[in-house]
Amino acid sequence: GESVGLHLPTLSVQEGDNSIINCAYSNSASDYFIWYKQESGKGPQFIIDIRSNMDKRQGQRVTVLLNKTVKHLSLQIAATQPGDSAVYFCAEGQAGTALIFGKGTTLSVSS
Amino acid sequence: KAGVTQTPRYLIKTRGQQVTLSCSPISGHRSVSWYQQTPGQGLQFLFEYFSETQRNKGNFPGRFSGRQFSNSRSEMNVSTLELGDSALYLCASSLEAGRKLFFGSGTQLSVL
């Protein structure tokens, strides 16, 4: 079946560094991709999304890159801060179906 | 605008009991989805309701059921609880399925 996975379960960076979190997806029919951040004791919070007709989208300190050729998605966080420490999930979807989530990457930021 | 509200926040049950969890979506959102989150399995999709109809269903046994009311509020029920049902149950609402979900804080269920 289709699944969305992340390459690394954990990522440790220093404050001020740029972070890159990767995600591989398998369903070539997916036309929508999204990143969430989940802090301890809270539900996932939306970070940024991208549709399959785009390769890149930027937000505040975050950039999502989509490579449909190799079915790869990445989240780049610029100037990582301690408040960015959390679990990050990618998800894929198509209109009318459920969003399917990967298992998550835990980002730890040390100061 | 109020976010997604889930009640209760915590639940402790014993094996064999049943439980009902409640979710109030963001006003105007007609799609409500439920996910189970465990440390080893991440977020697993349970089901999605739109205008009181279940449109999408994940791969969970029939002990897991849900419903949606005319005001878009949703409930999920788990019968004959098993130890493995211990998890964080997340409700999310959206304007349409397969697009941006807005999550509640979840209900942490512990089955003893």
Side-chain angles (χ1 to χ4, degrees), chain B residues 2-85:
Chain B
V4 177
T5 304
Q6 289 188 248
T7 56
R9 188 72 178 90
Y10 300 95
L11 265 178
I12 299 176
K13 293 286 187 179
T14 57
R15 279 180 299 173
Q17 287 186 311
Q18 74 166 14
V19 66
T20 299
L21 313 181
S22 180
C23 173
S24 294
I26 290 173
S27 178
H29 286 189
R30 294 162 65 187
S31 175
V32 175
S33 300
W34 289 88
Y35 288 81
Q36 181 194 67
Q37 186 175 26
T38 56
Q41 294 299 317
L43 280 83
Q44 300 290 308
F45 173 70
L46 282 155
F47 27 68
E48 183 252 345
Y49 286 86
F50 185 91
S51 293
E52 302 179 66
T53 301
Q54 185 183 90
R55 291 196 307 183
N56 293 289
K57 188 177 188 306
N59 188 26
F60 277 82
R63 299 185 298 107
F64 293 82
S65 63
R67 59 178 175 169
Q68 186 181 33
F69 302 95
S70 58
N71 61 359
S72 293
R73 192 177 68 84
S74 178
E75 290 181 346
M76 69 163 281
N77 183 277
V78 188
S79 62
T80 319
L81 284 166
E82 301 177 359
L83 295 178
D85 296 333

Side-chain angles (χ1 to χ4, degrees), chain A residues 9 15-16 22 25 31 34 36 39 43-44 46 50-51 57-58 61 64 76 83 85 90 92 95 103 105-106 108:
Chain A
E15 181 178 3
N22 295 304
Y25 67 94
D31 65 356
I34 188 168
Y36 283 92
E39 297 173 294
F46 167 78
I50 187 169
R51 293 186 182 258
R57 192 173 186 206
Q58 289 183 289
R61 283 201 306 121
V64 56
Q76 300 178 1
S85 295
C90 67
E92 63 175 317
K103 290 194 183 338
T105 290
T106 299
S108 297

